[in-house]
Amino acid sequence: MASELNILVLNNLADRHKDAITAVAPGTAVTVADLDHAGEYIAATDILVTWGFMDIRPLYLAAPRLKWVHALTAGVENLLFPEIQASDTILTNSKGIHGIPVSEHVLALMLAFTRGLNLLIPQQQEKRWSRVPTDEIHEKTIGIVGLGSIGREIAKKAKGMGMEVVATKQEMTTEIFVDKLYKPEQLRDMLGTADFVVAALPLTEKTNSLFTLDEFQAMKPTAYFINIARGAIVRQADLVMALQLGVIKGAGLDVFEEEPLPADSPLWTMNNVIVTPHLAALSPAYLDRAVKLFVDNLVRYVENREMFNVIDKAKGY
Ligand code: OXD
């Protein structure tokens, strides 16, 4: 008997993941393929599970049965091509599973800078015993730009570390771990109060190039900028200039305008910059969490109930 629901996943899955998916409904079949071989299965596919950075447009155009595209990432910027925008294909993402690893990554970056690890690790490689300035994050102010599920988890951990927490947010909700909320249009006011500014926003038309030299100039010269969101939120040449001129003290960057970060980028060799290769969300728990979220949504899809994390294609998140 032909399967009733064909799910094509563009990532390796463990048997336990496949079992959890096929257990949702009788007649559900899961195929795992890489992007290069997915074309063989796409004509029969009803649901495509992909990564938000993959170029699935050619597959999409060859998928007459496709009803739903699910991103294993939070970011869906490569999935918002015109044909999907104009269609009624459901697009969902994995928002909500990133809070724990990303907030730990942000803490690691803040602590690395305050404890001087950015200077000490290169010294160790030279076997040089030399003290560097050290500081604490206790009672410092963290300014979180974008208070979604990741921003909230960062706020909670920062509060637990004795920090003052301020944040920008569209709606003025009650936030137990945030001392002061600012509207997005008050961003520069907030920037001036923070010792660490953390970008935790989705990339949309509105947030594209949100951080320019003006925003860095609104920050304290002693402040650090941390980006775990998307590189395009920042005008990178302005950030480089701000770091070179001492407009801000340093930056912890997990995302870049171009990834991998090109070898000739000055960011690689600045001692006030920590570069990580877009891995803030990754940990051994990632795929288990992502598949659980997908399975919960698949149950809703099969039962024709309202689904989680449906992307508003016009807003882009
Ligand atoms: C994501 C990411 O979008 O990790 O999920 O960057």
Side-chain angles (χ1 to χ4, degrees):
M1 189 184 78
S3 289
E4 285 165 21
L5 203 52
N6 289 326
I7 304 176
L8 177 59
V9 182
L10 303 184
N11 195 75
N12 262 335
L13 293 179
D15 287 344
R16 67 178 182 285
H17 299 138
K18 290 185 198 156
D19 292 347
I21 296 171
T22 50
V24 170
T28 304
V30 181
T31 305
V32 165
D34 59 27
L35 195 52
D36 291 341
H37 296 95
E40 294 166 36
Y41 310 100
I42 195 65
T45 297
D46 302 290
I47 301 172
L48 179 65
V49 179
T50 178
W51 293 91
F53 50 80
M54 278 181 171
D55 176 14
I56 61 148
R57 185 168 169 267
L59 274 185
Y60 182 83
L61 297 179
R65 286 173 54 146
L66 196 63
K67 301 277 180 316
W68 171 20
V69 174
H70 176 72
L72 293 166
T73 38
V76 290
E77 58 275 20
N78 272 5
L79 306 182
L80 287 166
F81 43 84
E83 294 82 358
I84 206 169
Q85 293 262 16
S87 74
D88 54 9
T89 310
I90 303 164
L91 179 60
T92 54
N93 72 357
S94 296
K95 186 177 73 172
I97 65 166
H98 297 65
I100 293 171
V102 174
S103 59
E104 290 187 9
H105 197 79
V106 169
L107 276 188
L109 289 170
M110 292 194 296
L111 291 168
F113 282 123
T114 48
R115 303 314 300 166
L117 299 187
N118 54 313
L119 305 174
L120 292 169
I121 292 170
Q123 276 189 194
Q124 178 182 345
Q125 273 149 14
E126 293 167 12
K127 302 185 182 159
R128 189 147 52 90
W129 179 278
S130 165
R131 286 189 174 150
V132 300
T134 51
D135 201 346
E136 302 177 352
I137 61 173
H138 182 74
E139 292 186 349
K140 296 282 190 307
T141 298
I142 180 171
I144 304 169
V145 186
L147 203 63
S149 57
I150 296 176
R152 283 207 180 93
E153 191 66 32
I154 296 170
K156 179 169 128 193
K157 293 210 166 74
K159 219 356 96 208
M161 299 293 288
M163 298 182 83
E164 178 81 8
V165 182
V166 298
T168 59
K169 189 167 189 294
Q170 300 271 12
E171 302 91 37
M172 293 294 108
T173 44
T174 307
E175 298 290 337
I176 46 175
F177 300 113
V178 181
D179 299 293
K180 185 165 178 189
L181 274 182
Y182 292 76
K183 295 225 175 247
E185 53 276 19
Q186 296 172 307
L187 173 65
R188 289 196 196 158
D189 297 337
M190 188 200 81
L191 293 177
T193 70
D195 300 296
F196 297 90
V197 170
V198 181
L201 293 156
L203 176 64
T204 64
E205 271 172 27
K206 278 195 188 150
T207 63
N208 201 304
S209 297
L210 179 67
F211 281 87
T212 67
L213 193 55
D214 290 341
E215 280 62 43
F216 296 119
Q217 274 163 340
M219 286 170 58
K220 298 183 190 177
T222 50
Y224 292 92
F225 176 71
I226 294 176
N227 191 0
I228 45 76
R230 281 294 180 267
I233 282 172
V234 178
R235 214 178 277 159
Q236 199 163 291
D238 288 13
L239 172 61
V240 168
M241 199 187 304
L243 289 162
Q244 281 168 338
L245 299 177
V247 173
I248 61 172
K249 187 144 183 220
L253 306 171
D254 189 52
V255 287
F256 303 88
E257 269 177 359
E258 186 184 341
E259 294 180 10
L261 181 64
D264 61 357
S265 169
L267 293 168
W268 280 116
T269 48
M270 293 179 173
N271 69 5
N272 56 345
V273 174
I274 298 177
V275 168
T276 58
H278 200 151
L279 50 56
L282 298 184
S283 82
Y286 191 91
L287 206 54
D288 284 346
R289 290 185 184 129
V291 171
K292 179 172 183 325
L293 176 73
F294 172 69
V295 167
D296 290 348
N297 234 355
L298 185 58
V299 171
R300 288 172 171 255
Y301 177 82
V302 167
E303 293 175 358
N304 227 347
R305 286 158 53 205
E306 196 181 335
M307 291 167 68
F308 300 123
N309 290 1
V310 176
I311 299 295
D312 177 333
K313 294 178 199 159
K315 285 192 183 152
Y317 64 94

